[in-house]
Amino acid sequence: EDQVTQSPEALRLQEGESSSLNCSYTVSGLRGLFWYRQDPGKGPEFLFTLYSAGEEKEKERLKATLTKKESFLHITAPKPEDSATYLCAVQAWGNNRLAFGKGNQVVVIP
Amino acid sequence: DAGVTQSPTHLIKTRGQHVTLRCSPISGHKSVSWYQQVLGQGPQFIFQYYEKEERGRGNFPDRFSARQFPNYSSELNVNALLLGDSALYLCASSLATGGSTEAFFGQGTRLTVV
C-alpha cells in the first residue's frame, strides 16, 4: 500500500525565516509526486508535480525537490500569506488515486 | 475560466439519512475523483470516474456510490449516514486517466451528520 509521511506536522516560522518540509513516501513505482497548498475550510490548491529523482520546481518562494525516497518543499523568506497546510501526495503506476499525507501546517508570524 | 465547482458548500444531515453531493469539472476535463477529508487528516480517495466509467474505488463501504454524467459532471451519494461520515468532501478533476496529470480540486462540501 502506498504511504506518505510528512514532517514536521506543525511549524511556526518568523517572517523571513526559511525552512523545509519533508515528505517521505513508499510507493510501488512512482508515477508522480504532488504538492498542494490548503487553506482552512478550502480545497487543496495545486502547486507542483515531480516525476523523477533529481527533479526540482520553483514557484515564488517555494521550491520542491525529489529523491527516490522523499521530497522536500523549501520555503524561502516566508511571508504571513504563506501560512497554510501543505499536502504531499503520490500516484503509483497502474493506479488512478492520489495517496496523501496528513500535511505540514505552517504558520508564519509577522 | 471556471474551476471545479461543488454544491452545496455546506450541509447538515441526520444519522440514517441520504445525501447527494455534486461536482462540475473544469471545462475539457473528463476525469473526476472524489475524496473524503476528515479534520486534521489528508484527503482519502473514494472514487474515480472517467468517461462515465468507474476507474478506481477506495476502501469505503457500499453506502458510498457515485456516477458520472455525459457532460462529465458527477454525483457522490452516501446512504444511511453515520456520525463518522462528517467530513469535507472534495471533488478533483483532471484531463484524463492513465497518465500522471495534475488533479485540480474544488472548494469542497462540508458535511455534518448529527
Side-chain angles (χ1 to χ4, degrees):
Chain A
E1 185 176 325
D2 305 333
Q3 288 196 334
V4 176
T5 303
Q6 293 186 244
S7 63
E9 289 187 7
L11 187 63
R12 288 172 65 89
L13 298 171
Q14 288 293 134
E15 184 172 0
E17 178 188 2
S18 300
S19 188
S20 295
L21 312 177
N22 177 265
C23 169
S24 297
Y25 64 90
T26 55
V27 63
S28 54
L30 180 70
R31 175 183 276 172
L33 183 141
F34 302 81
W35 281 99
Y36 287 86
R37 169 193 169 124
Q38 187 173 29
D39 293 309
K42 301 199 173 179
E45 174 190 345
F46 172 77
L47 293 173
F48 303 109
T49 309
L50 301 168
Y51 295 101
S52 57
E55 190 174 0
E56 299 182 351
K57 288 193 177 172
E58 287 188 67
K59 178 180 179 180
E60 296 181 357
R61 294 176 293 282
L62 301 176
K63 178 180 177 180
T65 62
L66 181 65
T67 73
K68 289 188 178 179
K69 294 183 179 181
E70 57 191 351
S71 176
F72 291 93
L73 185 65
H74 307 279
I75 311 177
T76 302
K79 298 182 177 182
E81 52 262 43
D82 295 322
S83 297
T85 295
Y86 292 87
L87 295 167
C88 174
V90 296
Q91 186 181 36
W93 287 105
N95 200 329
N96 295 318
R97 67 192 67 184
L98 295 176
F100 281 87
K102 292 183 178 180
N104 307 100
Q105 185 180 26
V106 174
V107 175
V108 182
I109 304 162
Chain B
D1 284 344
V4 179
T5 57
Q6 293 186 243
S7 62
T9 54
H10 296 83
L11 201 53
I12 300 175
K13 290 285 190 177
T14 304
R15 279 177 297 176
Q17 286 188 316
H18 163 270
V19 68
T20 297
L21 310 181
R22 295 178 174 84
C23 171
S24 293
I26 293 170
S27 177
H29 284 196
K30 297 183 178 180
S31 177
V32 170
S33 298
W34 288 94
Y35 290 79
Q36 180 197 65
Q37 187 176 26
V38 175
L39 198 63
Q41 302 292 316
Q44 295 291 314
F45 174 78
I46 310 175
F47 288 109
Q48 191 209 24
Y49 276 78
Y50 176 71
E51 292 283 12
K52 296 175 288 180
E53 289 189 7
E54 182 183 303
R55 294 299 185 96
R57 173 184 286 254
N59 188 23
F60 280 81
D62 291 343
R63 299 184 295 107
F64 289 76
S65 63
R67 55 180 176 167
Q68 186 177 35
F69 299 100
N71 65 354
Y72 304 111
S73 67
S74 178
E75 281 183 357
L76 176 70
N77 295 283
V78 187
N79 292 323
L81 285 167
L82 302 174
L83 295 179
D85 295 330
S86 296
L88 182 67
Y89 288 85
L90 296 163
C91 173
S93 80
S94 56
L95 273 171
T97 187
S100 186
T101 58
E102 291 82 3
F104 296 91
F105 286 84
Q107 293 299 289
T109 294
R110 170 67 64 186
L111 172 65
T112 302
V113 182
V114 297

